[in-house]
Every structure is written in C-alpha cells, then in structure tokens.
C-alpha cells in the first residue's frame, strides 16, 4: 500500500542473494534493477511517458540514457522505415 523505498528493495535483493550459490552471485542493486526495468520497458515499445511516470521522472529527456542503450534500435528503425527499405517504399 506504499511506495517501495530503496532499503525495502535492498532487503529483498539480500534475501534472494542469500539463497544463491556464492559462486553464482552477481552484483545487484536497486538502481541496477530500476535501470534494467526502464531499458526493458522501452525495448518493448512501452509509451515513453508511461515509463517516465513509473520511474518518477519529471522530464522525458531523462529517459535518453535508457533509450540510448537499446541494442540495434537505430538499425531496426531504419529497416522499418518505408523510405529506407531495400525493396523501396510500399505502394
């Protein structure tokens, strides 16, 4: 019923990490989870304003760092643009 605080998320991470074999553990932080969530939402074409609100950002420009990390985003956009397709524009 309330927002999760960083400490709440860290407590969950710590409990999960305690159950993982020490040789298999990775560094996980609340910020890393937040960053990964934003990147995945944007990669799945979730509306940028919705992602902004989920993250609590006041400005869409702050999402640039997440968007810029999407692998192959420019190439996908270029392949899908009708004027840039190899077969030419659709009729």
């Amino acid at each position: 019923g309330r927002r999760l605080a960083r400490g709440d998320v860290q407590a969950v991470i710590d409990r999960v990490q305690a159950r993982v074999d020490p040789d298999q553990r990775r560094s996980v932080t609340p910020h890393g989870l937040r960053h990964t969530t934003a990147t995945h939402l944007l990669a799945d074409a979730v509306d940028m304003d919705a992602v902004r609100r989920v993250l609590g950002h006041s400005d869409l420009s702050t999402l640039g760092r997440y968007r810029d990390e999407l692998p192959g985003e420019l190439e996908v956009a270029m392949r899908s643009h009708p004027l840039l397709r190899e077969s030419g524009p659709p009729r």
Side-chain angles (χ1 to χ4, degrees):
R2 64 179 176 82
R3 285 184 149 193
L4 286 173
R6 180 185 171 116
D8 298 328
V9 175
Q10 188 64 56
V12 172
I13 291 170
D14 292 344
R15 282 196 307 269
V16 171
Q17 289 279 42
R19 299 169 80 188
V20 174
D21 180 343
D23 295 334
Q24 301 297 315
R25 287 184 193 157
R26 291 181 151 178
S27 175
V28 179
T29 64
H31 181 77
L33 291 175
R34 177 183 168 91
H35 188 90
T36 300
T37 298
T39 302
H40 282 284
L41 289 172
L42 291 171
D44 287 342
V46 171
D47 177 69
M48 286 183 65
D49 189 55
V51 176
R52 177 196 61 80
R53 286 179 293 163
V54 165
L55 296 178
H57 290 187
S58 60
D59 190 340
L60 276 176
S61 66
T62 57
L63 297 180
R65 72 179 129 210
Y66 305 111
R67 189 186 60 242
D68 292 344
E69 293 181 8
L70 297 177
E73 183 182 65
L74 178 59
E75 292 81 3
V76 170
M78 290 176 68
R79 280 195 307 270
S80 65
H81 192 286
L83 297 177
L84 298 175
R85 288 188 194 141
E86 289 182 29
S87 61
R91 298 178 191 203

